[in-house]
Amino acid sequence: QDNRVSIWSVGDLGNAGLNGEYHGEPHLLCDIQHNGDVMDMQFLDQERIVIASSTGTVTIFRHHQNNQTLSANHRWEKAHYHVGQDTSWGGAACTGVVCSNPEIVTVGEDGRINLFRADQKDAVRTIDNADSSTLHAVTFLRTTEILTVNSIGQLKIWDLRQQRNEPSQIFSLAGDRVPLHCVDRHPNQQHIVATGGQDGMLSIWDIRQGTMPVSLLNAHEAEMWEVHFHPSDPDHLFTCSEDGSLWHWDTSTNVSEKPSFLHQGGRSTAYLSHSTINQSVVSAWLSNDPTKDRMEITNLIPNQTLSVNSLDVLGPCLVYGTDAEAIYVNRQLFA
């Protein structure tokens, strides 16, 4: 009922213990009330955070670091909405937001795409019927192009320079149109895209070729909520799921040269041989190098049972939030 946006300090990176636990309590710096569920959020710059609400509103909050307060800096009311028969506006959840300062792109349950600028009151561009189904997530492909995923298993590319309200390309999962929940683009090779969906599968796409994923990898046993390439080390990918697992996918070296993690308690490692992966997975995600015959997958939280709803990764730090109403920081990703 009562939702808040909070800023926490988790202290100094140097204070991690041997196993990556942080010694010293995270503490709340400030928080502010938020109307509706927080569906997504992203920093716009050092001080401003863009928040997507289930009410359809998109808000920029400013973090004032001098006195540790948060204030609403700008708000686009009902950026996403359903039009009822009496033409009154009912808010539709804003499901995803992505920022490339000063531009902000939002998507929602109403199938709408909005392009905002942080300093402008009205939307710069709105694609009203971008999709007939719910858009679940959005990311930038390059400065003028975005990728969206929807609830019928489609990945679409939109060129924001074009005035046409049509995607420039459509890719789709074959068969049963499984809803896609999350998308991320490889940070260095913009043609490589990863998505995750309701069936827990990880799909890798090469948007230069074909309209289907180059590989489908069996992953989680329930919905995949988030997928992220490591921003500076994209041979590593992270996914989290409703089934309470958070997987680290590592294509960085030939796995046979690595020490086996199978005997180091707490890490459950699955090896996928090429017979189970489409031959083209392995940049490491797409190359056909026959020496890369395996990929290492580690469940970073083997005993978790509640849904892992969100994750982010920066340098050696992985942050994730769960239905246990807890936020975890893992500081030893590459131990």
Side-chain angles (χ1 to χ4, degrees):
Q1 297 300 311
D2 175 28
N3 294 308
R4 306 187 80 76
V5 172
S6 310
I7 300 224
W8 296 78
S9 164
V10 292
D12 174 20
L13 287 179
N15 283 351
L18 287 174
N19 300 323
E21 318 88 47
Y22 171 66
H23 299 304
E25 285 297 303
H27 65 277
L28 182 64
L29 295 177
C30 50
D31 66 357
I32 192 167
Q33 202 156 8
H34 179 268
N35 195 6
D37 294 343
V38 174
M39 304 296 288
D40 198 8
M41 58 169 129
Q42 198 171 58
F43 277 95
L44 178 67
D45 55 27
Q46 293 288 321
E47 294 192 331
R48 291 178 296 176
I49 311 133
V50 181
I51 311 281
S53 171
S54 58
T55 63
T57 296
V58 177
T59 310
I60 303 179
F61 289 105
R62 186 179 288 277
H63 175 211
H64 305 275
Q65 296 175 10
N66 52 354
N67 61 358
Q68 291 305 343
T69 56
L70 275 166
S71 65
N73 180 245
H74 189 82
R75 188 171 276 130
W76 290 282
E77 296 280 353
K78 297 250 172 80
H80 294 274
Y81 58 91
H82 295 299
V83 180
Q85 275 139 346
D86 55 357
T87 69
S88 66
W89 288 9
C94 176
T95 51
V97 55
V98 66
C99 305
S100 177
N101 193 6
E103 296 186 320
I104 299 160
V105 175
T106 70
V107 296
E109 278 181 5
D110 52 359
R112 199 172 262 107
I113 298 173
N114 290 306
L115 172 63
F116 297 111
R117 275 207 190 90
D119 47 8
Q120 292 185 18
K121 190 164 75 78
D122 296 320
V124 178
R125 172 98 189 268
T126 295
I127 304 177
D128 268 330
N129 297 309
D131 216 300
S132 55
S133 61
T134 296
L135 289 167
H136 282 141
V138 58
T139 192
F140 276 99
L141 185 58
R142 42 182 72 84
T143 48
T144 56
E145 284 184 307
I146 56 167
L147 288 167
T148 59
V149 292
N150 70 12
S151 60
I152 55 170
Q154 293 174 322
L155 171 69
K156 297 184 181 181
I157 299 179
W158 304 83
D159 185 337
L160 297 173
R161 293 165 303 189
Q162 300 285 339
Q163 285 313 304
R164 294 182 313 126
N165 290 343
E166 300 289 327
S168 52
Q169 278 177 282
I170 301 178
F171 302 83
S172 56
L173 295 171
D176 13 331
R177 298 187 162 243
V178 175
L180 291 173
H181 290 309
C182 51
V183 58
D184 198 28
R185 185 206 81 203
H186 190 289
N188 314 335
Q189 302 188 34
Q190 294 174 330
H191 55 279
I192 300 175
V193 174
T195 63
Q198 189 166 305
D199 57 2
M201 297 278 276
L202 172 65
S203 307
I204 305 290
W205 312 69
D206 181 344
I207 59 171
R208 300 170 305 183
Q209 45 179 286
T211 57
M212 287 163 63
V214 292
S215 52
L216 290 169
L217 301 166
N218 272 312
H220 303 278
E221 288 165 23
E223 292 92 338
M224 185 189 297
W225 292 130
E226 194 104 65
V227 57
H228 275 297
F229 285 101
H230 191 289
S232 54
D233 200 347
D235 285 347
H236 298 267
L237 178 92
F238 299 88
T239 59
C240 64
S241 166
E242 180 72 27
D243 67 10
S245 60
L246 193 163
W247 285 17
H248 173 188
W249 304 71
D250 180 0
T251 63
S252 59
T253 55
N254 185 350
V255 174
S256 55
E257 297 165 10
K258 291 189 173 183
S260 169
F261 289 117
L262 290 171
H263 311 299
Q264 296 182 8
R267 292 209 178 194
S268 52
T269 303
Y271 289 119
L272 295 184
S273 70
H274 253 329
S275 56
T276 55
I277 300 185
N278 174 322
Q279 198 65 27
S280 60
V281 154
V282 201
S283 77
W285 297 102
L286 300 180
S287 85
N288 290 315
D289 179 355
T291 60
K292 283 192 187 284
D293 58 342
R294 302 199 273 185
M295 179 190 304
E296 184 181 43
I297 304 160
T298 309
N299 182 7
L300 298 178
I301 33 178
N303 305 320
Q304 174 76 24
T305 52
L306 295 170
S307 175
V308 185
N309 301 318
S310 189
L311 73 93
D312 204 359
V313 59
L314 182 67
C317 281
L318 175 75
V319 182
Y320 56 96
T322 78
D323 270 358
E325 297 187 10
I327 297 163
Y328 299 84
V329 183
N330 173 339
R331 298 171 183 274
Q332 299 271 302
L333 277 186
F334 304 122

